[in-house]
C-alpha cells in the first residue's frame, strides 16, 4: 500500500521568526492525486521536499505505507521526483535519460530497454528515443522527465511545479496527460503548484496552505462551495470571491447598502459583531434597479462569459467587485450600473477569526 501519513511535521529555518511548515497533518490514500497549493512562501515546496527526504524535519513523522521514513535518505524512500526544471542530461539520448537511474542500479540491459520502451509508449515519445534533449520541445522534455520517474516504478510520485516552464496551451494539454497517466498507473502522487486552476482541475483532493499552515484539504468542489475560511475563499476561484465587510444588525448583516439575513445558528456562532460576506462573481447580476451602485473599470471577455470589474460604494467607502455577465450583454467601461444579489447562498465568515460560519 502506498498511503502517506504526515503527522505533526514542522520545519523551522535558523533565524526565521515563524516555521516554514507548522504542524502539518495529512493522510493521503493509496492511488490518490493530492495537490498542494498556495501562494509563494506558503510552505508547499518545503512540505514536498520533506516528504522526499531532501529537507530536514524538526518535529513530526512521515510514513509511506507501513514504513516510518522520517529519517531515511531519499534513495531509501522509494519515491520519484519530477522537478520544475527537467534536469535532463544534454549529452544523452532520450532513451538514455529515461533509463539513467536503472543503469546506476545495474539493472540488466534487456530489462532497461523493455522498461524504457514501455514508458515511451505510455508517454507518446517513442519516436524521440534516439534524440537528445536540445531537439525536443518543453512539453516533450517534461514527458522524458516523467518517463525517467515511471521506469523506477516507485511507490510515490512527487511533482514540484512541473508545468511552470510551459506556455499556457501546452500547460493545459500536459496537465491532462499527467492526470490521465497517474490514473492509468494507479500510483500515489503529490503535486505542488501555485496555480489554483491547475490544482482544481488535477487533484482528487487539494490541500491549501498559507504561512506554513494547512488551511483546508478537501475535494475541489468542496473547497469552492464550502471554503473553511476567508483565505481559502479568496484564493480558490477564478476570478476570486468578492469579500465584503459587514456588521451584524438584528437578524442580518449589513454594510449600509447590502443587507443579508443570518440564521440563528450563524448568529450564535459569531465571536464578534462583524462578519465578512463572500459572493462569487456569478452571485451578482447587473440590473438598472439594483441597490448597489458601481462604476465599471474593466471588462474581461472570456468567450461564453464576461467578467466586469467595478468599484462600488458600499457605505464604508469604495469596494472592488467582480461580476460575471453573459458575453453578449455586458456594460461598457466607465458606465454606471446597478448590482443585485441573485444567489441566496452567500458565504459568511467570522469578522474576528476569518473562519466559516455555518447555517
Amino acid at each position: 500500500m502506498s498511503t502517506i501519513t504526515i503527522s505533526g511535521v514542522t520545519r523551522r529555518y535558523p533565524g526565521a521568526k515563524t516555521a516554514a511548515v507548522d504542524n502539518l497533518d495529512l493522510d493521503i490514500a493509496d492511488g490518490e492525486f493530492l495537490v498542494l497549493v498556495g501562494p509563494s512562501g506558503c510552505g508547499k515546496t518545503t512540505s514536498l521536499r520533506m516528504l522526499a527526504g531532501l529537507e530536514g524535519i524538526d518535529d513530526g513523522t512521515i510514513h509511506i505505507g507501513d514504513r516510518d521514513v522520517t529519517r531515511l535518505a531519499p534513495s531509501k524512500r522509494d519515491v520519484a521526483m519530477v522537478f520544475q526544471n527537467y534536469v535532463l542530461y544534454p549529452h544523452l539520448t532520450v532513451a538514455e535519460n529515461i533509463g539513467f537511474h536503472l543503469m546506476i542500479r545495474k539493472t540488466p540491459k534487456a530489462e532497461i530497454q523493455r522498461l524504457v520502451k514501455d514508458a515511451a509508449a505510455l508517454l507518446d515519445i517513442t519516436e524521440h528515443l534516439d534524440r537528445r534533449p536540445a531537439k525536443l520541445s518543453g512539453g516533450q522534455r517534461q514527458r522524458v522527465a516523467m518517463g525517467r520517474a515511471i521506469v523506477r516504478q516507485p511507490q510515490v510520485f512527487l511533482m514540484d511545479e512541473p508545468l511552470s516552464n510551459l506556455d499556457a496551451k501546452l500547460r493545459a494539454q500536459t496537465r491532462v496527460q499527467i492526470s490521465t497517466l497517474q490514473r492509468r498507473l494507479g500510483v500515489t502522487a503529490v503535486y505542488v503548484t501555485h496555480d489554483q486552476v491547475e490544482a482544481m482541475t488535477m487533484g482528487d483532493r487539494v490541500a491549501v496552505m498559507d504561512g506554513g499552515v494547512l488551511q483546508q484539504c478537501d475535494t475541489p468542489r468542496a473547497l469552492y462551495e464550502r471554503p473553511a475560511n476567508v483565505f481559502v475563499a479568496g484564493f480558490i476561484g477564478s476570478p476570486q470571491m468578492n469579500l465584503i465587510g459587514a456588521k451584524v444588525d438584528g437578524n442580518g448583516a449589513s454594510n449600509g447598502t447590502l443587507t443579508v439575513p443570518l440564521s440563528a445558528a450563524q448568529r450564535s456562532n459569531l465571536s464578534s459583531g462583524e462578519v465578512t460576506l463572500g459572493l462569487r462573481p456569478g452571485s451578482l447580476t447587473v440590473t438598472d434597479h439594483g441597490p448597489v451602485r458601481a462604476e465599471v473599470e474593466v471588462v474581461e471577455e472570456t468567450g461564453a462569459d464576461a467578467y466586469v470589474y467595478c468599484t462600488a460604494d458600499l457605505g464604508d467607502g469604495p469596494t472592488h467587485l467582480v461580476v460575471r455577465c453573459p458575453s453578449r450583454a455586458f456594460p461598457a467601461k466607465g458606465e454606471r450600473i446597478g448590482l443585485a444579489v441573485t444567489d441566496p447562498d452567500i458565504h459568511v465568515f467570522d469578522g474576528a477569526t476569518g473562519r466559516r460560519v455555518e447555517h
Side-chain angles (χ1 to χ4, degrees):
M1 292 288 287
S2 301
T3 58
I4 300 172
T5 303
I6 300 173
S7 302
V9 167
T10 298
R11 176 59 172 149
R12 304 181 190 89
Y13 290 115
K17 294 182 179 180
T18 58
V21 176
D22 191 2
N23 197 30
L24 177 63
D25 289 316
L26 273 176
D27 290 313
I28 305 169
D30 184 32
E32 182 177 16
F33 195 124
L34 181 92
V35 180
L36 292 171
V37 68
S40 296
C42 72
K44 56 188 184 295
T45 294
T46 300
S47 299
L48 192 77
R49 289 176 61 83
M50 287 191 290
L51 180 53
L54 302 174
E55 192 76 51
I57 295 174
D58 294 302
D59 295 300
T61 60
I62 296 176
H63 286 76
I64 297 177
D66 58 1
R67 293 194 308 146
D68 183 345
V69 302
T70 309
R71 305 301 171 191
L72 288 184
S75 60
K76 303 294 184 182
R77 298 193 181 202
D78 199 13
V79 301
M81 194 157 180
V82 179
F83 295 92
Q84 175 180 345
N85 296 315
Y86 317 121
V87 198
L88 301 179
Y89 297 104
H91 62 289
L92 299 181
T93 65
V94 167
E96 290 167 339
N97 268 284
I98 293 175
F100 182 79
H101 291 290
L102 300 179
M103 290 188 287
I104 297 296
R105 290 181 185 174
K106 300 189 183 301
T107 304
K109 187 174 181 180
E111 180 69 2
I112 293 176
Q113 291 176 340
R114 183 185 67 79
L115 291 170
V116 167
K117 286 181 179 179
D118 287 348
L122 196 62
L123 294 162
D124 195 25
I125 52 174
T126 299
E127 63 184 43
H128 305 305
L129 285 175
D130 293 329
R131 297 185 182 182
R132 285 182 167 73
K135 300 294 184 180
L136 304 178
S137 68
Q140 290 166 342
R141 292 179 195 179
Q142 194 56 272
R143 278 183 277 168
V144 174
M146 288 290 296
R148 186 169 55 193
I150 289 169
V151 298
R152 296 173 63 182
Q153 300 178 323
Q155 282 191 288
V156 177
F157 277 144
L158 306 177
M159 291 174 270
D160 186 13
E161 305 250 21
L163 308 184
S164 60
N165 289 334
L166 306 182
D167 61 49
K169 181 179 179 180
L170 198 52
R171 280 178 72 121
Q173 292 174 346
T174 308
R175 69 186 180 213
V176 171
Q177 292 171 342
I178 290 176
S179 297
T180 302
L181 179 64
Q182 185 269 338
R183 282 162 177 76
R184 287 177 63 183
L185 295 172
V187 67
T188 306
V190 183
Y191 186 104
V192 162
T193 180
H194 66 277
D195 185 336
Q196 57 98 7
V197 174
E198 194 165 287
M200 297 286 278
T201 55
M202 295 182 74
D204 296 321
R205 286 190 304 152
V206 178
V208 184
M209 298 187 69
D210 183 46
V213 177
L214 178 66
Q215 303 295 314
Q216 186 175 359
C217 182
D218 216 324
T219 64
R221 179 173 292 277
L223 289 176
Y224 186 83
E225 294 182 347
R226 294 171 56 80
N229 54 41
V230 169
F231 176 80
V232 177
F235 190 80
I236 296 296
S238 181
Q240 70 178 42
M241 182 184 289
N242 296 298
L243 297 171
I244 303 167
K247 297 183 183 299
V248 178
D249 182 12
N251 292 330
S254 174
N255 60 8
T257 305
L258 189 67
T259 300
V260 173
L262 298 177
S263 68
Q266 286 176 316
R267 295 196 304 275
S268 66
N269 287 327
L270 289 171
S271 64
S272 70
E274 297 185 348
V275 298
T276 299
L277 304 177
L279 295 88
R280 294 288 180 193
S283 299
L284 293 166
T285 188
V286 177
T287 174
D288 292 339
H289 305 293
V292 178
R293 309 305 297 176
E295 181 175 337
V296 178
E297 295 179 333
V298 175
V299 177
E300 184 180 81
E301 297 185 61
T302 61
D305 297 313
Y307 291 98
V308 177
Y309 294 78
C310 54
T311 301
D313 186 0
L314 293 178
D316 291 335
T319 300
H320 296 289
L321 299 175
V322 186
V323 185
R324 189 178 71 197
C325 297
S327 63
R328 295 184 181 180
F330 56 83
K333 180 180 178 181
E335 186 176 342
R336 293 285 297 176
I337 59 175
L339 300 175
V341 178
T342 55
D343 185 353
D345 188 22
I346 296 175
H347 304 267
V348 180
F349 303 95
D350 191 292
T353 65
R355 64 177 176 79
R356 181 182 184 84
V357 182
E358 298 291 356
H359 292 289

